[in-house]
Amino acid sequence: MKYQDAAMVCFSGGQDSTTCLFWAKKHFKRVEAVCFTYGQKHSQEIDIARRIAADAAVPFQLLDVSLLAQLAPNSLTDSTIEMDQEQPAGSYPNTFVPGRNMIFLTFAAVLARSKDIFHLVTGVSEADYSGYPDCRDTFVRSLNVTLNLAMDELFVLHTPLMNRDKSEVWQLADELGVFDLVRTQTLTCYNGIPADGCGHCPACKLRREGLEKYLNK
């Protein structure tokens, strides 16, 4: 049986994926979460994701895709690479993990299929995407077609944050009734510090600027 009222959320315990988790709970009767370990330095996010999912009564599964760290050198998995604080001119920041969203969504689809789930939810956004090409709507649409062809299924990839900047993500969390949870319990910081984070890494800057914009509306 294919569950049309079920969704699998790619879940990291950060601001965006936590907002998406509760968006999915609002729109689907059955929600499960899949989290990935890929050699990231901020691995505390896994424990945070597991706890948030448990508190939300959402089944949680962790998949190991740590081979990714060997294939795609980046500052999130390699402690010898100093993190870019700003995006270099003409190139991507070294926090970009090539292929990460493609791999995450592909593995999520394979797992979801085994559970007869055909709706996938991811928190990517091209409004505030730090220059990452695998956060674009064109990529998601293309991968959706590829997954359907590869597995002869009708997956639907949902991107509720695609056209929202960070202030609008805060607004959505507020509308879903999880503003305080997202502000105090999630981990977005590239340096692995929960809630408001380190304050100076690219992820923290986006998060803080979005929060200030939303609070000052």
Side-chain angles (χ1 to χ4, degrees):
M1 177 181 180
K2 295 183 180 181
Y3 290 90
Q4 297 302 322
D5 60 350
M8 176 76 69
V9 180
C10 289
F11 187 52
S12 70
Q15 175 187 5
D16 294 342
S17 68
T18 299
T19 303
C20 285
L21 184 75
F22 286 91
W23 177 90
K25 282 177 64 69
K26 178 180 178 180
H27 289 88
F28 295 91
K29 293 180 180 178
R30 173 186 166 203
V31 175
E32 297 197 19
V34 58
C35 185
F36 299 91
T37 177
Y38 59 99
Q40 64 268 47
K41 290 183 289 187
H42 50 295
S43 58
Q44 185 185 355
E45 71 177 18
I46 296 168
D47 295 331
I48 288 174
R50 193 189 304 273
R51 183 173 69 247
I52 293 173
D55 290 344
V58 171
F60 176 93
Q61 188 160 344
L62 179 66
L63 296 183
D64 185 349
V65 292
S66 53
L67 176 63
L68 183 59
Q70 299 177 41
L71 300 175
N74 64 89
S75 63
L76 297 189
T77 61
D78 189 339
S79 59
T80 67
I81 299 176
E82 185 176 352
M83 184 186 303
D84 287 334
Q85 299 300 316
E86 304 291 342
Q87 182 168 339
S91 65
Y92 302 119
N94 63 17
T95 52
F96 172 50
V97 184
R100 179 173 60 175
N101 285 335
M102 179 178 66
I103 289 171
F104 285 2
L105 285 165
T106 300
F107 275 83
V110 174
L111 176 63
R113 184 181 183 277
S114 73
K115 297 171 176 286
D116 290 322
I117 298 174
F118 294 89
H119 291 270
L120 305 176
V121 182
T122 178
V124 299
S125 167
E126 64 180 20
D128 266 339
Y129 73 118
S130 301
Y132 300 163
D134 59 353
C135 289
R136 295 175 296 183
D137 186 57
T138 51
F139 158 72
V140 174
R141 290 176 181 272
S142 174
L143 183 62
N144 200 153
V145 173
T146 298
L147 292 174
N148 289 348
L149 291 171
M151 288 183 268
D152 195 23
E153 299 289 359
L154 291 176
F155 290 101
V156 179
L157 271 58
H158 299 270
T159 54
L161 310 185
M162 180 57 73
N163 298 308
R164 299 175 187 264
D165 65 20
K166 274 293 183 287
S167 70
E168 293 168 324
V169 175
W170 283 111
Q171 179 179 346
L172 178 59
D174 207 1
E175 292 169 355
L176 293 168
V178 292
F179 179 88
D180 289 339
L181 183 155
V182 171
R183 186 171 185 180
T184 63
Q185 297 185 35
T186 60
L187 194 162
T188 302
C189 176
Y190 287 156
N191 289 309
I193 302 173
D196 292 334
C198 69
H200 58 78
C201 75
C204 284
K205 289 178 182 177
L206 274 176
R207 176 177 166 128
R208 184 186 67 247
E209 290 168 2
L211 177 61
E212 290 174 352
K213 181 179 178 182
Y214 175 60
L215 293 177
N216 291 325
K217 278 186 176 180

